[in-house]
Amino acid sequence: MAGKRGIMPIRARRGLLLGASALLTCLVLLGLFSVFRKGAPSLTVRPLPQGEDRDQCRLQAVMHAGEGTVAVTETLRMRNRSCGPLDHTVLRFYLNAFRDEAHSPAGILYDECYPLGFSPGRVTLMGIRWQGESAAGRWTDGDETALRVETKDWEAGEWGTLTVSFLLEIPECRWRCQRSGDLWVLGNALALPAVYDGERNAYRLDPYTPIGDPFVSDCMDWQLSLSLEEGWVPYGSCAFEKGPDGTWTGTLEAARDMALLFFRGERALEKSFGQVLVRLVNIRGDREKVADRAGEILKAYTALYGPPPRACLTVAAFPFPFDGMEYPGLVLLSDRLFESGQEDWELPLAHECAHLWFYDLVGSDQVNEPWQDEALCQWAVLEYVRARYGEDSRASLRYYLADAPLEEQVEGSVTPGSPIDRFSDCAQYDTVVYGRGTAYLCALDTYTDGKLNAVLKAYADRFAWQRASRADFERVLMETAGQDLSSFGDIYLDTLIGR
Ligand SMILES: [Zn+2]
């Protein structure tokens, strides 16, 4: 997030990316920018490998606008990917973390997130079936975000079918899942299979922490059918088509999550860049400019890291206390970024678009290694700025994003390699994970004579549609750079450098 990815609070952003935006504006006015590189590649979409045995989700959802609810049925075809038989599986229902006022993750910024007072987000289970028969389920964690379902004799490598029906109560809360007026956002609201940790022989049950993006999941194929009330249009991680009976259908292959938007308002602006369709939803101001800039950002990253994973990218504005949040095929930006009439949205857009490569395409452990997608995205922003505005602008931005955070005072003993639950506030998280994590990448690039982009391209190609560990990253780094650079990780990611 922009702060999702490492959720970055708006005030921290003001100190970093917004400050950096103003700096860029000055450089542009002084005529110091270079014209965006001519001959940038026309956009293609990265082909999916054939013959993969991904899990599948068929999802039906019905919106009840008056009640503020969505009724959902998911049928999941899942494979036992552990080494032995399993007597249960686990589904994550993150929305339940918002069910009571005392424990809501949004309580960390209560006044901003609940301007109308507390509004609960909740999941009510309606039915569970395993292999076609009624099955028992129970919450296994205090937050009631992890549902354990008995599976009996589910052998390793075997497929099973789990059907779960539930009602989502969408909160009036400016967080990832919310409704306000003509826009509903269902981020981390649909049920997802928990990831099985083969080393611990257990499902991961990471709690929904207020800081960072506490989500780890694997790619599935999605098939959706949505019934919305008159006047509402669905957007989200994929494109939808309306059938003669009024039902909206959409599909998305190899996606580690599915976020939905229900919107009632101005039609989306659509613009094609080669094979990639960019759609803008609920964005005020010069929408053409935002769409064109998104196209330029995608081209810059394609030149460096290879084609993006999606044929359709939706960019939408929503009320949010941080700069933005990424989902597969979807970039969400805070609507505050569009208030000034300046281009405050540009660098957050570049950051979230980079997550198409470093999160959507290559997943990582966002709970225990949050730097591994956030710092990579910050690095990509620097490279976009180099391509569009030139070396001087990049150097100035690097100071804001990577060098200054080494000088900032940070309370507590956290490093970029710390898990997200070790951080006590958003500003600390921002400085350490985004800032000092990016300083690590800058140091690697300097020491390898500019090979970091080649490393990141090899990393994207090697781990496309998978999850990569820190060791995986370091292995690609070593192979591509041709030298052992593990001491850089020890120093920058695990040592209390800076002040
Ligand atoms: Zn991010």
Side-chain angles (χ1 to χ4, degrees):
M1 143 160 107
K4 142 169 185 5
R5 290 149 160 340
I7 293 181
M8 234 184 248
I10 199 79
R11 54 182 177 280
R13 283 278 195 178
R14 291 235 150 88
L16 290 170
L17 285 186
L18 293 188
S21 284
L23 177 75
L24 273 183
T25 304
C26 293
L27 290 169
V28 169
L29 290 174
L30 288 169
L32 295 177
F33 68 98
S34 63
V35 174
F36 184 67
R37 176 164 38 195
K38 291 222 165 39
S42 163
L43 288 177
T44 57
V45 178
R46 190 177 289 256
L48 261 176
Q50 298 301 307
E52 299 274 297
D53 64 345
R54 288 182 295 274
D55 292 0
Q56 291 140 30
C57 177
R58 266 190 296 118
L59 182 148
Q60 292 174 298
V62 180
M63 174 196 201
H64 299 287
E67 289 83 45
T69 61
V70 182
V72 182
T73 296
E74 289 186 33
T75 300
L76 294 147
R77 187 165 179 270
M78 312 157 71
R79 192 168 200 176
N80 177 351
R81 296 174 197 276
S82 76
C83 295
L86 289 171
D87 62 1
H88 72 284
T89 189
V90 175
L91 290 183
R92 301 308 305 265
F93 289 87
Y94 292 112
L95 182 58
N96 253 349
F98 297 80
R99 71 192 192 288
D100 73 63
E101 189 166 7
H103 300 103
S104 166
I108 192 173
L109 296 170
Y110 191 94
D111 293 340
E112 280 181 82
C113 295
Y114 294 112
L116 306 174
F118 181 70
S119 167
R122 248 189 308 249
V123 180
T124 304
L125 292 171
M126 314 292 281
I128 308 167
R129 299 181 80 78
W130 173 253
Q131 307 291 45
E133 294 181 12
S134 183
R138 64 178 169 84
W139 301 111
T140 65
D141 61 330
D143 286 344
E144 299 189 1
T145 63
L147 180 74
R148 176 188 165 115
V149 177
E150 305 307 316
T151 56
K152 294 176 205 158
D153 306 327
W154 187 23
E155 298 296 330
E158 272 191 5
W159 292 89
T161 302
L162 175 62
T163 302
V164 57
S165 299
F166 50 95
L167 189 73
L168 298 173
E169 199 172 325
I170 312 299
E172 294 181 274
C173 170
R174 295 176 178 175
W175 207 255
R176 297 182 181 98
C177 180
Q178 59 166 292
R179 63 188 167 96
S180 60
D182 296 327
L183 179 68
W184 291 25
V185 180
L186 275 64
N188 310 99
L190 303 172
L192 276 185
V195 164
Y196 192 81
D197 181 342
E199 285 181 15
R200 290 175 47 251
N201 282 327
Y203 284 98
R204 287 188 56 162
L205 303 175
D206 307 296
Y208 198 138
T209 52
I211 293 171
D213 295 333
F215 317 112
V216 182
S217 55
D218 286 321
C219 289
M220 291 196 294
D221 293 339
W222 297 79
Q223 207 178 326
L224 296 95
S225 169
L226 309 175
S227 297
L228 271 57
E229 296 194 4
E230 193 61 34
W232 291 81
V233 177
Y235 299 95
S237 293
C238 64
F240 294 94
E241 281 188 16
K242 194 174 189 180
D245 64 348
T247 302
W248 298 86
T249 56
T251 59
L252 190 65
E253 288 182 297
R256 59 190 77 252
D257 203 347
M258 168 61 63
L260 296 174
L261 305 180
F262 300 160
F263 183 58
R264 187 172 56 176
E266 188 180 24
R267 262 188 73 168
L269 174 82
E270 300 193 341
K271 198 154 187 179
S272 290
F273 300 89
Q275 294 179 350
V276 178
L277 177 72
V278 172
R279 303 183 306 174
L280 298 192
V281 177
N282 193 37
I283 285 180
R284 282 171 293 163
D286 190 343
R287 300 197 300 169
E288 287 279 347
K289 183 188 274 185
V290 178
D292 287 341
R293 204 62 58 83
E296 289 180 16
I297 290 165
L298 296 179
K299 285 178 187 172
Y301 294 160
T302 296
L304 294 168
Y305 311 125
R310 307 287 166 207
C312 179
L313 171 66
T314 299
V315 179
F318 76 139
F320 197 50
F322 308 104
D323 276 3
M325 177 70 199
E326 74 284 4
Y327 291 98
L330 175 65
V331 161
L332 296 175
L333 296 174
S334 171
D335 53 12
R336 297 186 198 190
L337 298 170
F338 299 89
E339 282 175 356
S340 72
Q342 307 294 310
E343 296 178 8
D344 297 339
W345 44 267
E346 182 180 21
L347 298 183
L349 175 64
H351 175 95
E352 303 304 347
C353 284
H355 278 302
L356 280 176
W357 282 262
F358 309 119
Y359 156 70
D360 188 352
L361 182 65
V362 181
S364 55
D365 187 339
Q366 301 176 172
V367 172
N368 293 306
E369 302 285 354
W371 68 273
Q372 201 169 328
D373 66 332
E374 295 304 353
L376 267 54
C377 289
Q378 293 294 77
W379 168 265
V381 171
L382 289 174
E383 295 304 280
Y384 159 69
V385 166
R386 188 210 302 269
R388 180 171 171 79
Y389 297 105
E391 206 60 61
D392 289 347
S393 297
R394 183 192 186 278
S396 302
L397 186 62
R398 175 190 152 146
Y399 175 76
Y400 274 94
L401 296 188
D403 300 334
L406 289 176
E407 298 298 319
E408 282 172 33
Q409 190 84 38
V410 172
E411 300 294 329
S413 55
V414 282
T415 69
S418 299
I420 55 175
D421 64 1
R422 293 280 306 279
F423 292 87
S424 54
D425 67 65
C426 297
Q428 178 198 45
Y429 183 69
D430 184 34
T431 297
V432 173
V433 171
Y434 287 73
R436 296 180 183 177
T438 306
Y440 163 56
L441 300 175
C442 291
L444 287 179
D445 193 56
T446 301
Y447 196 75
T448 59
D449 291 330
K451 290 203 179 102
L452 185 64
N453 284 321
V455 170
L456 296 183
K457 181 171 190 309
Y459 174 72
D461 290 343
R462 174 89 63 90
F463 294 102
W465 292 289
Q466 300 172 43
R467 266 185 297 125
S469 66
R470 173 171 162 179
D472 291 330
F473 174 84
E474 290 177 340
R475 202 172 309 119
V476 174
L477 170 66
M478 223 170 287
E479 288 169 9
T480 311
Q483 50 195 317
D484 184 355
L485 298 162
S486 54
S487 60
F488 278 78
D490 297 343
I491 294 167
Y492 278 88
L493 299 179
D494 303 324
T495 308
L496 293 172
I497 56 172
R499 297 172 64 194

